[in-house]
Amino acid sequence: MSTTEPSAAERFRAAKVRNRSRNLELFRADLRFDLDPFQFAACDALDQGRSVLVAAPTGAGKTIVAEFAIWLAMRQPTAKVFYTTPMKALSNQKYAELVDVYGESEVGLLTGDTNVNPRARVVVMTTEVLRNMIYADSDLLDDLAWVVLDEVHYLADRFRGAVWEEVILHLPTEVRLVSLSATVSNAEEFGDWLQTVRGDTDVIVSEDRPVPLEQHVLVGSKMVDLFDSSGAAATNRVNPELLRLVGGASRSERHGGGHRGGRGRGGYHDRRGPRTEKLHRERIAHMLDERMLLPAIFFVFSRNGCDQGVRNVLRSGLSLTTAQERNEIRETAEYHCRTLLDEDLAVLGYWEWLEGLERGVAAHHAGLLPAFKEVVEDLFQRKLLKVVFATETLALGVNMPARTVVLEKLEKFNGEARVPITPGEYTQLTGRAGRRGIDVEGHSVIQWSDGLDPQGVASLASRRTYPLNSSFKPTYNMAVNLIDQFGRQRTREVLETSFAQFQADRSVVDLARKVRSQQESLDGYQQAMQCHLGDFTEYAALRRELSDLERTNVPGGREASHGARAERQAAITDVRRRMRRHPCHACPDREAHARWSERWYKLKRANDKLLQQIRSRTGAVATTFDRVTNVLLQLGYLVDTGNGEATVAAGGRRLQRIYGERDLLVAECLEAGVWKDLTPAQLAAMAATIVYQPRREDAPGTEHALPRGAFRPALDETLTIWSRLDDIERDARLAGSQPPTPAAAVGMFRWASGSALDDVLRTLDLPAGDFVRWSKQVIDLLDQIRNAGDDDLAQTARRATDAVRRGIVAYAAV
């Protein structure tokens, strides 16, 4: 039987595909596993020089796409890659992974308080560091080919989300983005925006979990499946056995409501069923151990609850580790904590913490000392820890997958009230269940409590809605940096292309992009119509004026009186005379210039109409920018240069180097010199007053113990400046801000003065982890003061930084 030879065209197409994918095939050859379809699609797009947005569940293997971008860059002579993460802990983790692959000489780390090999080919950093580089026009951006935005869904974070949009909007256009996101329900919308502002971008969405999730409910001491697993069952139908255990069908089902029962969100219902005794945490851990469902993460929505969970297990006598595992655990803990002072160990609860580790149990939350958290993460990844009680922050990126996730409650305190968790939050939390390459399936266990509705729980567990909504809003620092780079009008246009505006009014983004595109053509036309003899724009305006007059001077026009026609004829004569006298009239290329001029004029009219359409739309982001700009003009940080433009004044140069929610307050205090007489310890206390935000409204009053000397009058002046700024902001129809609080000033003053850790933590009434986090924010602000203040204050800030960066604050993971 004969076979048909492929045609020349078919052979050419096949060769083209092979050549295009050659890099990808070489990369795949070195992998220990084959790529999933979504991974292959994303890598193929990168191989073609396109940007990608990859939205996939936690643990699905999104980072392989970023690794391919790094692999592509390293095959070029000078190309660089920046790998950004939302948290320093993630940056440290990723840095260590990349060093293992490429070596210390090729990998750098920049996290604000850590600076390692910044000129490396691959640099890991927090997203804020990259944003600051862009504004400073850093030479580290030279040869940048790829930027990985890991956990890009942080763009929705109301405090820090704007940073991601700033980076996306202002990176050089030739840089390609690898945006990695958790599963979001509006990935296509976000991808459309990326396509609009960055150009060629492929959106790759995968909703397939690499490890299937089995969902259970723990009713008393009995664990049952949430969904009916019988072959004839409808998708996401509640398990009849669960309904029987909790008292039958929900009220809506009893009244014929079918699957509409409960409030849906969060699974709560006002039904009164039989009371169910909840199993204690240590008994749940023992049950999971017997069923081979460890390691497990218990998500507890309070820090105290996490610490109490560990204490419960310790009091019960439960031990989940072998003798060999206990030895490894102790060695790991001692190694990570070797730099901590002996006198601080008891203060930090080291021995109780170590006992928990050796028994296979630990807590993980923001109040934990960073060194302790790193030990917990390391041990859990190595399967030495069996149970971790964690707050929901663990679900936001740290690489700690478990076999089982336990949810004690389906509601949490949001700072104001107890609210049900959302389907998106449920998806994030249960995304930790199932370790790829280790587990055949992951397990989630919801602990039943009175008031839950089975149908509502099923609805929560089956929906995959996690919308990504922009939190972008212009800040004072952003305004002066962008105006310095682009000018006021251009900045306004750039902000019109933000994701916030895109979501508010998608057409504005399309119009703004068209305006920018047409502006490039206008610039080209203007270049082509330039004349060496004079201003051809001026000459072209005379030609148009003459053309308009001649059209309206047609003989026999009904409305034109003899006097009007004579007047118009005189005007025509005058314009012709001025044209002949204009230097460009004698240019041998006059008509060629004129043709370019006509194109410029028609496009300019079309562009002006588009700008008018943009101005007539909602324009919420640009409106906020205008208000921010007006405040800066009023305070002298910007100077109005006319025609709607502005330049950055000397004070604005200082403001360019100050980041944070109180950027303008800090700049005003530096401008007024209110902190110039402070000692290093007092300046550290003032920085704490600026950055500290109490977690509770009932923060202890410390006014009677505030540092004496220059601090108190400086604090009074600082609060007076804040009050004046707040009035100005509210007059400008901006939101204003909360007054600075000196609640942490006394503790920070004592720490910077050399007091013992025990004394400082008692004074602040803070866990060690919170103290370290706030101290690093104080150091960050002191660094900004050092860069923005005068020489004397810069010296004080430098000494204050050294005074704060000691003991547990000086601990560095890298």
Side-chain angles (χ1 to χ4, degrees):
M1 187 175 71
S2 63
T3 58
T4 304
E5 288 291 325
S7 68
E10 289 171 333
R11 289 197 302 274
F12 175 75
R13 281 196 297 271
K16 192 174 180 181
V17 169
R18 282 197 303 274
N19 288 334
R20 190 192 74 192
S21 305
R22 185 168 294 159
N23 284 325
L24 183 51
E25 292 306 317
L26 289 172
F27 178 72
R28 290 173 71 184
D30 290 336
L31 297 177
R32 299 187 311 275
F33 53 88
D34 200 12
L35 296 175
D36 289 341
F38 87 90
Q39 294 171 327
F40 182 87
C43 291
D44 187 50
L46 296 184
D47 205 6
Q48 297 177 57
R50 300 171 65 83
S51 296
V52 294
L53 165 65
V54 182
T58 301
K62 295 185 290 289
T63 54
I64 196 71
V65 183
E67 289 167 15
F68 182 56
I70 296 171
W71 186 90
L72 285 173
M74 297 301 280
R75 287 176 63 82
Q76 301 173 33
T78 60
K80 294 196 295 191
V81 183
F82 287 171
Y83 194 114
T84 75
T85 77
M87 294 181 288
K88 293 176 182 178
L90 285 176
S91 293
N92 293 337
Q93 193 176 75
K94 182 53 63 176
Y95 169 76
E97 291 172 7
L98 291 172
V99 164
D100 286 344
V101 177
Y102 293 104
E104 290 186 358
S105 63
E106 297 288 2
V107 186
L109 177 67
L110 297 173
T111 61
D113 54 11
T114 303
N115 187 324
V116 177
N117 199 13
R119 296 193 176 277
R121 296 278 303 281
V122 184
V123 185
V124 184
M125 63 188 68
T126 51
T127 317
E128 279 86 353
V129 169
L130 178 54
R131 186 271 312 271
N132 298 350
M133 270 190 205
I134 293 170
Y135 283 163
D137 196 22
S138 169
D139 64 350
L140 294 177
L141 296 169
D142 294 345
D143 297 321
L144 183 61
W146 301 93
V147 166
V148 177
L149 296 175
D150 202 357
E151 309 287 342
V152 74
H153 50 271
Y154 260 81
L155 183 142
D157 184 88
R158 69 189 183 101
F159 297 111
R160 301 172 57 212
V163 175
W164 276 259
E165 289 195 48
E166 290 175 76
V167 166
I168 291 167
L169 287 170
H170 305 307
L171 268 175
T173 54
E174 66 273 11
V175 176
R176 289 299 176 205
L177 293 185
V178 180
S179 304
L180 307 179
S181 171
T183 305
V184 293
S185 52
N186 60 337
E188 288 77 10
E189 179 188 38
F190 183 49
D192 287 348
W193 175 68
L194 288 171
Q195 173 74 32
T196 301
V197 297
R198 299 293 310 177
D200 296 338
T201 303
D202 285 5
V203 179
I204 291 96
V205 177
S206 173
E207 295 188 6
D208 295 331
R209 284 179 52 96
V211 180
L213 180 67
E214 296 291 325
Q215 304 191 72
H216 316 281
V217 178
L218 185 62
V219 184
S221 60
K222 187 173 180 62
M223 192 163 75
V224 296
D225 291 342
L226 171 58
F227 296 112
D228 189 348
S229 58
S230 65
T235 304
N236 296 333
R237 174 183 164 187
V238 177
N239 185 356
E241 185 182 1
L242 173 61
L243 293 175
R244 181 180 56 77
L245 282 172
V246 300
S250 67
R251 173 183 298 173
S252 60
E253 287 185 295
R254 290 196 299 270
H255 290 278
H259 286 219
R260 296 192 301 271
R263 280 192 342 204
R265 185 184 176 199
Y268 284 86
H269 197 278
D270 61 0
R271 176 178 58 83
R272 296 289 185 267
R275 292 189 60 79
T276 303
E277 292 298 323
K278 296 185 72 171
L279 210 59
H280 292 158
R281 291 161 173 163
E282 63 275 15
R283 291 187 61 194
I284 298 174
H286 182 64
M287 173 192 290
L288 295 177
D289 186 31
E290 287 183 328
R291 296 184 179 216
M292 306 287 288
L293 292 179
L294 296 181
I297 299 172
F298 285 64
F299 280 113
V300 184
F301 298 117
S302 79
R303 299 176 181 184
N304 287 338
C306 293
D307 295 335
Q308 187 61 46
V310 175
R311 288 193 287 270
N312 290 345
V313 173
L314 292 183
R315 279 199 297 267
S316 74
L318 179 66
S319 181
L320 302 167
T321 54
T322 65
Q324 182 179 344
E325 287 174 333
R326 287 194 288 275
N327 288 334
E328 284 189 62
I329 288 168
R330 177 178 286 273
E331 288 176 7
T332 300
E334 289 176 349
Y335 174 79
H336 277 270
C337 299
R338 66 193 183 283
T339 61
L340 298 177
L341 302 176
D342 290 343
E343 59 265 31
D344 290 342
L345 293 179
V347 177
L348 296 170
Y350 175 82
W351 305 111
E352 183 184 19
W353 171 72
L354 182 59
E355 182 188 357
L357 293 180
E358 291 182 339
R359 302 255 289 271
V361 60
H364 189 289
H365 54 70
L368 208 62
L369 190 71
F372 286 11
K373 278 201 290 189
E374 288 157 15
V375 171
V376 171
E377 291 162 13
D378 182 19
L379 293 176
F380 199 81
Q381 289 167 12
R382 290 161 53 193
K383 310 184 206 43
L384 294 173
L385 272 184
K386 313 302 180 182
V387 171
V388 169
F389 296 95
T391 55
E392 68 269 31
T393 53
L394 179 59
L396 296 176
V398 178
N399 183 24
M400 282 179 62
R403 176 166 293 170
T404 304
V405 162
V406 179
L407 299 179
E408 292 191 342
K409 293 181 180 178
L410 296 181
E411 63 176 12
K412 66 176 185 176
F413 186 69
N414 67 357
E416 297 176 358
R418 298 205 71 82
V419 297
I421 65 172
T422 66
E425 289 168 332
Y426 181 88
T427 301
Q428 283 284 92
L429 296 169
T430 57
R432 290 285 157 202
R435 299 165 298 174
R436 187 169 189 172
I438 300 174
D439 298 321
V440 176
E441 58 195 16
H443 298 265
S444 70
V445 178
I446 298 169
Q447 191 169 16
W448 186 264
S449 59
D450 296 323
L452 285 179
D453 169 53
Q455 293 294 345
V457 174
S459 174
L460 175 75
S462 61
R463 289 162 64 199
R464 292 292 178 266
T465 55
Y466 185 56
L468 183 62
N469 294 314
S470 172
S471 61
F472 182 84
K473 61 180 180 180
T475 66
Y476 297 108
N477 169 274
M478 184 194 304
V480 291
N481 273 297
L482 293 181
I483 288 172
D484 189 37
Q485 279 194 313
F486 304 117
R488 185 179 182 182
Q489 292 302 325
R490 175 81 175 98
T491 294
R492 201 176 189 280
E493 294 170 16
V494 167
L495 295 181
E496 290 281 10
T497 66
S498 67
F499 188 46
Q501 187 60 52
F502 186 83
Q503 290 189 305
D505 185 353
R506 291 184 63 163
S507 64
V508 167
V509 177
D510 295 332
L511 291 172
R513 188 175 189 195
K514 191 171 182 180
V515 165
R516 287 205 312 277
S517 175
Q518 292 186 169
Q519 185 60 51
E520 292 175 6
S521 298
L522 282 171
D523 294 342
Y525 293 168
Q526 197 159 28
Q527 184 72 26
M529 72 189 217
Q530 282 186 358
C531 178
H532 66 290
L533 296 177
D535 184 351
F536 203 88
T537 303
E538 186 179 79
Y539 179 72
L542 289 172
R543 285 173 64 117
R544 277 192 299 277
E545 185 180 355
L546 177 61
S547 178
D548 291 342
L549 285 168
E550 288 177 337
R551 270 201 304 273
T552 58
N553 199 40
V554 178
R558 284 183 301 169
E559 88 300 340
S561 65
H562 176 75
R565 286 199 299 273
E567 186 177 329
R568 204 166 294 152
Q569 186 59 49
I572 289 172
T573 302
D574 177 62
V575 173
R576 282 177 175 163
R577 184 175 63 253
R578 282 189 289 150
M579 276 181 54
R580 286 193 294 268
R581 290 178 177 175
H582 197 281
C584 293
H585 190 69
C587 180
D589 298 322
R590 181 184 66 199
E591 293 310 309
H593 293 329
R595 285 192 293 274
W596 285 111
S597 170
E598 280 306 304
R599 293 175 188 173
W600 179 88
Y601 178 67
K602 288 177 182 177
L603 190 58
K604 180 73 164 60
R605 280 196 306 181
N607 228 31
D608 288 345
K609 286 181 181 178
L610 289 177
L611 287 170
Q612 184 57 42
Q613 288 183 50
I614 290 173
R615 283 191 289 269
S616 67
R617 303 295 170 92
T618 53
V621 175
T623 299
T624 303
F625 168 72
D626 288 340
R627 293 170 182 171
V628 166
T629 302
N630 289 337
V631 169
L632 293 172
L633 287 166
Q634 180 180 342
L635 294 173
Y637 289 91
L638 296 174
V639 177
D640 192 338
T641 57
N643 298 320
E645 283 298 339
T647 58
V648 179
R653 299 288 176 198
R654 177 179 288 118
L655 181 55
Q656 284 181 280
R657 299 190 290 275
I658 301 168
Y659 303 92
E661 288 188 63
R662 299 193 188 278
D663 49 5
L664 189 59
L665 175 61
V666 173
E668 281 287 280
C669 289
L670 294 179
E671 193 78 13
V674 299
W675 301 338
K676 60 184 176 60
D677 295 326
L678 298 179
T679 65
Q682 290 173 340
L683 185 59
M686 187 61 72
T689 299
I690 297 295
V691 303
Y692 182 66
Q693 296 172 355
R695 296 186 70 240
R696 300 182 300 274
E697 291 184 5
D698 58 346
T702 55
E703 284 73 9
H704 66 283
L706 288 174
R708 299 188 181 278
F711 182 84
R712 297 191 184 196
L715 177 61
D716 290 340
E717 286 189 69
T718 299
L719 293 173
T720 299
I721 290 173
W722 168 83
S723 180
R724 176 172 58 85
L725 289 178
D726 193 58
D727 289 341
I728 291 171
E729 288 178 314
R730 294 184 191 279
D731 288 344
R733 291 186 292 167
L734 292 167
S737 62
Q738 293 298 312
T741 171
V746 176
M748 186 54 64
F749 176 78
R750 290 179 180 174
W751 178 254
S753 299
S755 291
L757 177 65
D758 188 21
D759 173 49
V760 172
L761 293 182
R762 266 202 319 271
T763 300
L764 289 171
D765 188 26
L766 282 178
D770 284 342
F771 171 64
V772 170
R773 190 173 72 257
W774 288 117
S775 296
K776 290 189 175 182
Q777 291 190 31
V778 166
I779 289 171
D780 189 43
L781 178 55
L782 290 170
D783 284 341
Q784 294 174 40
I785 293 171
R786 179 169 56 83
N787 291 328
D790 59 33
D791 290 344
D792 289 342
L793 188 60
Q795 289 293 332
T796 304
R798 185 177 288 108
R799 291 196 293 272
T801 299
D802 293 339
V804 175
R805 191 184 281 125
R806 67 179 181 89
I808 62 172
V809 179
Y811 172 86
V814 179

